[in-house]
């Protein structure tokens, strides 16, 4: 007797059942193997996959700026009108693309410390304009001087310097100047040794951020990349309450096995505070 249709069906069913059982066994085993591999490979030490990506961040990290452009500087100065601003942006820079420096492992507490060199490259394709775009903004040096030196005699002197330098309450500056620094004409006239360069992030290029000390994950994978101390401290002593805490990672990497319900905390030294992100939706960056 050859193999009839019934026999074929039974054979198929048996093979299917065997495969299903195998699959049932292999799935958790495979998961276990994958988890084990991940646990080994995410540890931040020489030789792991994560380490290479961590020393020099594998993904592109951008920082975006929106600037308030003052629309009525004359009215504000002459008639004390309310200030009117227009928000312009985004202006995007690629940051954190330089390799970490002075990487030192500390086996005692399973941490690794490092310095993050600063660098920012303008990204025109993700920006509404160029670095040469002009903005009318408050003249920080002029506005601050009156507050720092309330003495009337000093203020008379400062006033004449402000006038001499043709500065006023508002100024027109390019994006590049505002962010990365410009030589202030008023401060340049001050007859004391003062810093004459003003800029929101001045100095930035050729400076380093840190020292950061983060957990390398050797003892607990859930702590990988989480900051232990920043500049040797656990809090910033700058803000009140939770903003002052240095929790989470530096946002360039996070521990593996993150659940959607989890809040990812990270610390940003540029704005000098910690912040967090909540999961909203998944997206794909592959457009093929
Ligand atoms: C200030 O107010 C006066 C009177 O309302 C007006 O004529 C003048 O144009 C205003 N100045 C500016 C700079 O808007
Ligand atoms: C980083 O390392 C270099 C030499 O390896 C050393 O000169 C420098 O002081 C270190 N920087 C810090 C902040 O420890
Ligand atoms: C900082 O350095 C980057 C190159 O690393 C350069 O593109 C950028 O113009 C520099 N920025 C300033 C303000 O010098
Ligand atoms: C910004 O202002 C400067 C000086 O007035 C001018 O040379 C430059 O072309 C302006 N930039 C743009 C993008 O219009
Ligand atoms: C400011 O300087 C101008 C000349 O640039 C002069 O006419 C004016 O009187 C000065 N104002 C004050 C308050 O010193
Ligand atoms: C900040 O940290 C220090 C120790 O690093 C601690 O003594 C102090 O209480 C902390 N301050 C706050 C406000 O958490
Ligand atoms: C942040 O870290 C501090 C310890 O530095 C901890 O007491 C606090 O609960 C943490 N905050 C959150 C929201 O996890």
């Amino acid at each position: 007797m050859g193999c009839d249709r019934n026999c074929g069906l039974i054979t198929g069913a048996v093979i299917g059942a065997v495969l299903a059982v195998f699959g049932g066994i292999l799935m958790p085993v495979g998961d276990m193997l994958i988890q084990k591999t991940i646990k080994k490979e995410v540890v931040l030490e020489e030789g792991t996959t994560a380490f290479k990506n961590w020393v020099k961040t594998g993904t592109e990290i951008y920082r975006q700026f929106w600037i308030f452009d003052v629309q009525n500087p004359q009215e504000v100065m002459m008639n004390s009108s309310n200030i009117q601003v227009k928000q312009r942006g985004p202006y995007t820079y690629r940051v954190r693309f330089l390799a970490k420096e002075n990487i030192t492992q500390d086996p005692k507490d399973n941490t690794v410390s490092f310095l993050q060199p600063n660098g920012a490259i303008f990204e025109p394709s993700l920006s509404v304009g160029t670095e040469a775009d002009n903005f009318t903004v408050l003249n920080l040096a002029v506005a601050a001087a009156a507050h720092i030196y309330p003495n009337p005699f000093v203020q008379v002197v400062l006033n004449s310097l402000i006038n001499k330098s043709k500065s006023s309450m508002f100024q027109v500056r390019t994006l590049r100047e505002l962010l990365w620094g410009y030589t202030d004409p008023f401060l340049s006239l001050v007859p004391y040794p003062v810093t004459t360069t003003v800029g929101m992030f001045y100095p930035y290029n050729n400076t380093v951020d840190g020292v950061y000390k983060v957990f390398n994950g050797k003892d607990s994978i859930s702590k990988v990349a989480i900051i232990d101390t920043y500049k040797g401290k656990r809090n910033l002593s700058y803000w009140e309450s939770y903003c002052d805490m240095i929790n989470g990672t530096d946002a360039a990497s996070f521990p593996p096995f993150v659940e959607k319900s989890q809040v990812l905390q990270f610390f940003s030294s540029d704005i000098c505070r910690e912040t967090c992100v909540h999961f909203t939706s998944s997206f794909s960056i592959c457009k093929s």
Side-chain angles (χ1 to χ4, degrees):
M1 190 180 94
C3 204
D4 62 11
R5 194 163 157 268
N6 267 351
C7 171
L9 279 179
I10 290 168
T11 311
V14 168
I15 292 175
V18 169
L19 285 182
V21 169
F22 263 118
I25 295 169
L26 282 179
M27 246 161 28
V29 170
D31 254 13
M32 232 171 64
L33 284 179
I34 290 170
Q35 288 221 0
K36 207 175 147 199
T37 311
I38 291 177
K39 277 184 187 166
K40 204 173 114 235
E41 288 300 321
V42 296
V43 170
L44 297 177
E45 66 176 351
E46 199 72 59
T48 65
T49 315
F51 188 74
K52 232 175 64 209
N53 262 301
W54 174 81
V55 171
K56 195 167 187 301
T57 309
T59 45
E60 307 211 325
I61 299 176
Y62 296 108
R63 180 154 300 147
Q64 299 194 303
F65 299 96
W66 280 261
I67 309 229
F68 288 115
D69 193 21
V70 177
Q71 305 293 299
N72 57 344
Q74 288 308 322
E75 280 178 42
V76 175
M77 280 191 295
M78 313 290 281
N79 292 351
S80 303
S81 307
N82 284 342
I83 203 161
Q84 280 170 16
V85 294
K86 197 167 129 197
Q87 181 174 291
R88 289 166 58 194
Y91 292 90
T92 307
Y93 285 84
R94 224 185 115 204
V95 294
R96 306 227 158 209
F97 50 86
L98 292 168
K100 296 178 171 61
E101 286 174 2
N102 289 25
I103 298 171
T104 318
Q105 299 279 352
D106 186 349
K108 278 203 298 290
D109 52 3
N110 294 306
T111 58
V112 52
S113 56
F114 64 90
L115 291 170
Q116 174 66 62
N118 287 320
I121 297 175
F122 188 65
E123 187 59 57
S125 66
L126 296 172
S127 306
V128 294
T130 72
E131 275 191 294
D133 281 6
N134 290 314
F135 296 89
T136 304
V137 294
L138 190 67
N139 190 327
L140 288 177
V142 169
H147 274 277
I148 296 172
Y149 301 103
N151 180 310
F153 173 70
V154 177
Q155 289 206 347
V156 170
V157 177
L158 290 178
N159 261 343
S160 78
L161 292 180
I162 290 168
N163 193 332
K164 204 168 151 198
S165 66
K166 297 196 173 62
S167 302
S168 78
M169 191 169 149
F170 293 99
Q171 60 177 347
V172 178
R173 291 282 168 194
T174 66
L175 175 77
R176 191 181 168 88
E177 288 175 323
L178 284 176
L179 295 179
W180 313 117
Y182 57 88
T183 306
D184 188 89
F186 156 56
L187 291 179
S188 300
L189 292 181
V190 172
Y192 301 103
V194 291
T195 315
T196 53
T197 310
V198 182
M200 258 177 280
F201 295 99
Y202 175 82
Y204 198 75
N205 274 3
N206 307 318
T207 64
V208 290
D209 187 20
V211 176
Y212 285 91
K213 190 171 182 188
V214 307
F215 293 103
N216 63 14
K218 255 194 134 158
D219 56 337
S220 160
I221 208 70
S222 61
K223 291 204 294 191
V224 167
I226 296 213
I227 299 170
D228 180 28
T229 61
Y230 173 68
K231 292 186 177 170
K233 297 198 297 184
R234 287 212 162 82
N235 49 35
L236 297 163
S237 324
Y238 185 77
W239 308 98
E240 282 178 10
S241 88
Y242 73 92
C243 291
D244 200 53
M245 295 172 177
I246 302 171
N247 291 13
T249 75
D250 68 352
S253 46
F254 289 101
F257 312 122
V258 172
E259 304 281 335
K260 284 179 186 171
S261 59
Q262 237 167 295
V263 175
L264 291 180
Q265 291 186 312
F266 56 89
F267 164 74
S268 171
S269 61
D270 286 335
I271 54 172
C272 199
R273 62 162 290 180
E274 78 141 297
T275 178
C276 66
V277 286
H278 296 258
F279 176 84
T280 50
S281 66
S282 41
F283 66 93
S284 165
I285 52 169
C286 278
K287 286 204 189 105
S288 56

